[in-house]
Amino acid sequence: MNLKSLLYLSLVLATLLNSTTSLHAQKKAPSAGFSLVTWEALSYEPIYYRQGEDYIPIKLMPGNRSDLFELKGMTSLGLYVAEESEEGEQTYKLVGKTSIPQGISRILFFITERDDPGKLPLRLSGIDDSLLTFPRGACRFVNLTNVPLAVRFADKTSLIKSKGMTVVESKVEASGGLLPFIVFDRKGNNLYENRYFAQQIGRDMIFILPPKRQGGRVNIKLLPQLVPHEPEEKKVN
């Protein structure tokens, strides 16, 4: 994925988050959490986020989610890099910042770099990542092309408008299973076909990107995740 596609992806995701925030504004969570994704290694590493007076390091692996971090009532998220002052003391420089939408229990932020001297070098674009909207055992399909598409998955055909997304439950057995995944255009032409391994604790995002050449197959970008169930509390006799 080139830089242009990355920037395009981040802008679309920001729009998707804004469109879903109002749907969950009344479903307050006791605490909010976030994780981060970058598709390519950043020029600014390692990065930290600030929680009160503490600067907490964030480990990033391109193409994978970071750990889930707690926001603890914060209204904005700032990312920092460590620097050394003239006095030899470690200081922290702000390199990215975004507001935190209220009423969403989990947010997934995508980080991309931008070359604009008037703005912070890292752009953060978020999407609602709560288990309520994106449960275990489901796939979230994001159409980043300029045309509506249809996705056939788990014996269900879903229409996805341009810059839109949908969530489809895989309904696989506990052992998981391979499911056909097909993308069609509005004329029924097959634009992509593959088999996808789904799991009950899997929660994967599949991005459908425009073809590299006109008339070609769409490009697919997968962001996988496993979300084990929390252990049940032992009963006290």
Side-chain angles (χ1 to χ4, degrees):
M1 185 181 294
N2 57 33
L3 179 59
K4 183 177 179 180
S5 296
L6 287 168
L7 295 176
Y8 177 68
L9 171 62
S10 66
L11 293 174
V12 171
L13 287 171
T15 301
L16 291 175
L17 177 62
N18 290 335
S19 66
T20 58
T21 299
S22 60
L23 297 178
H24 306 284
Q26 297 179 350
K27 295 171 180 173
K28 297 278 186 178
S31 62
F34 74 93
S35 53
L36 299 165
V37 171
T38 178
W39 296 114
E40 297 179 344
L42 298 175
S43 304
Y44 301 85
E45 290 190 280
I47 62 171
Y48 301 78
Y49 88 99
R50 185 175 179 178
Q51 182 61 265
E53 298 299 319
D54 298 324
Y55 291 86
I56 302 170
I58 299 175
K59 183 178 180 180
L60 292 172
M61 294 180 61
N64 292 277
R65 295 165 177 259
S66 71
D67 290 336
L68 184 67
F69 297 92
E70 196 170 8
L71 287 172
K72 295 181 181 179
M74 295 167 57
T75 58
S76 64
L77 171 66
L79 297 183
Y80 299 80
V81 290
E83 292 186 333
E84 187 174 306
S85 67
E86 295 180 357
E87 293 75 23
E89 297 180 352
Q90 181 167 288
T91 61
Y92 294 90
K93 177 183 177 182
L94 183 67
V95 291
K97 187 175 182 179
T98 187
S99 60
I100 304 296
Q102 299 302 302
I104 299 180
S105 59
R106 289 191 188 185
I107 305 173
L108 177 63
F109 288 106
F110 290 79
I111 309 175
T112 52
E113 294 191 40
R114 56 185 168 197
D115 187 14
D116 187 339
K119 297 182 179 180
L120 294 172
L122 297 185
R123 176 191 284 112
L124 288 86
S125 305
I127 190 170
D128 184 350
D129 196 43
S130 64
L131 292 174
L132 178 66
T133 59
F134 186 16
R136 296 177 181 86
C139 282
R140 171 179 268 166
F141 298 94
V142 184
N143 179 10
L144 297 180
T145 72
N146 293 321
V147 297
L149 296 173
V151 170
R152 181 69 176 171
F153 178 74
D155 294 327
K156 179 180 179 181
T157 300
S158 303
L159 298 176
I160 314 175
K161 63 182 181 180
S162 173
K163 316 303 185 299
M165 62 182 176
T166 190
V167 175
V168 181
E169 295 186 20
S170 62
K171 298 180 181 180
V172 293
E173 301 293 334
S175 58
L178 283 170
L179 299 178
F181 163 44
I182 309 172
V183 181
F184 304 94
D185 63 15
R186 70 177 103 193
K187 296 180 180 180
N189 297 316
N190 188 327
L191 303 180
Y192 180 89
E193 183 171 355
N194 209 332
R195 292 174 69 82
Y196 166 80
F197 183 72
Q199 302 180 67
Q200 286 187 352
I201 61 171
R203 204 174 67 122
D204 299 342
M205 295 184 69
I206 298 177
F207 299 92
I208 306 171
L209 295 152
K212 294 181 179 179
R213 58 179 178 81
Q214 188 171 358
R217 286 158 50 96
V218 294
N219 292 298
I220 300 297
K221 190 77 172 177
L222 174 66
L223 181 64
Q225 185 186 30
L226 295 177
V227 187
H229 292 279
E230 297 179 2
E232 295 183 3
E233 295 183 2
K234 293 183 179 180
K235 294 182 180 180
V236 178
N237 295 328

